[in-house]
Amino acid sequence: MAVMAVAVSSLMAQETYRYEVGGGVGMSNYLGDANRSNLLKHPGWAAGGIFRYVIDRRWSLKANLIVAGISGNSAGTVYPAGEVYDFSSTLYDVGAQIEFNFFNFGIGSKYMNLKRITPYLVVGVGGTLASPSVGGSSFAIVLPMGVGVKYKWKERLNLGLEFTMRKSFGDGLDGLSDLNGINHSFAKNTDWYSVLMVSVTYEFGKRCKVCHYVE
């Protein structure tokens, strides 16, 4: 009876799932024409949904939809016209990223060397639609890159903390453009934003069960 219990326990601990779905909330920040250097000067809000496809214990693909608020004020920066610019903007961010876990993420048998907590790297591509308070709406391709930490709270529940910087290939997220009178190229604009988010995800889509014969 005890042997059967051990076998069932081992089987349950090694169940894995293909997908995760969840959401998160956090903080956004902005660097651009109205804030040149202090990333924490005008903190905003962020919230969104996450869908993750788990390739294996180390690699996964993630899709996200994030809505965030950013703002800025150019006081302290001298522009040719001598004006002070301020703005607020709502961003709608849709993207896909690939994640690499430093450790085999999960819970289960010791021989698999699984860890309930792991740091990870993330990089991807996406698009952001901005609705600033000055200027008109604009769309830009963005390149998110960052780091995070995952913690397996329960068998199918995960907690996450992730920080990403998002490089915008466009200069309209703040509604301000070329305030120094110098036209920037596609790659040399001045708009960046960051997202720091705490998330909860739920695993589903059972991958397989591995049975072991125990005498």
Side-chain angles (χ1 to χ4, degrees):
M1 201 67 172
V3 173
M4 289 180 61
V6 171
V8 171
S9 176
S10 177
L11 175 62
M12 292 295 292
Q14 293 177 52
E15 289 181 351
T16 60
Y17 299 86
R18 296 178 185 273
Y19 311 109
E20 295 178 34
V21 65
V25 295
M27 179 177 69
S28 62
N29 296 92
Y30 152 85
L31 289 177
D33 292 309
N35 180 25
R36 290 291 191 182
S37 58
N38 188 350
L39 186 63
L40 300 177
K41 188 175 182 180
H42 299 282
W45 55 270
I50 298 168
F51 179 82
R52 183 180 281 122
Y53 172 68
V54 181
I55 300 173
D56 57 30
R57 303 288 188 175
R58 291 292 185 100
W59 295 92
S60 58
L61 298 174
K62 180 176 67 179
N64 69 260
L65 171 61
I66 296 174
V67 182
I70 60 172
S71 62
N73 186 295
S74 68
T77 301
V78 179
Y79 286 108
E83 297 183 11
V84 175
Y85 302 90
D86 64 83
F87 82 99
S88 62
S89 183
T90 301
L91 307 180
Y92 302 90
D93 180 306
V94 178
Q97 299 98 45
I98 186 167
E99 299 174 344
F100 172 72
N101 300 327
F102 282 72
F103 307 127
N104 291 328
F105 184 59
I107 53 177
S109 301
K110 291 184 178 180
Y111 80 90
M112 300 181 69
N113 198 27
L114 301 177
K115 305 294 183 182
R116 295 187 71 157
I117 186 168
T118 181
Y120 66 92
L121 300 176
V122 58
V123 66
V125 66
T128 296
L129 177 65
S131 298
S133 57
V134 295
S137 298
S138 68
F139 177 82
I141 300 298
V142 295
L143 178 65
M145 44 195 159
V147 295
V149 177
K150 299 174 185 177
Y151 174 70
K152 185 161 286 297
W153 181 22
K154 295 183 179 180
E155 183 185 357
R156 299 173 69 176
L157 285 176
N158 303 313
L159 303 179
L161 176 65
E162 180 180 286
F163 174 80
T164 54
M165 286 295 299
R166 295 170 186 269
K167 163 70 172 175
S168 166
F169 290 96
D171 198 22
L173 299 187
D174 50 15
L176 307 170
S177 181
D178 303 322
L179 301 184
N180 286 312
I182 302 174
N183 292 325
H184 291 108
S185 68
F186 174 77
K188 293 184 178 180
N189 64 82
T190 57
D191 289 347
W192 290 72
Y193 62 99
S194 67
V195 176
L196 176 66
M197 185 170 289
V198 177
S199 64
V200 179
T201 59
Y202 175 78
E203 298 178 358
F204 67 99
K206 192 174 296 184
R207 187 182 299 272
C208 63
K209 290 185 178 182
V210 180
C211 298
H212 298 277
Y213 175 73
V214 180
E215 293 183 352

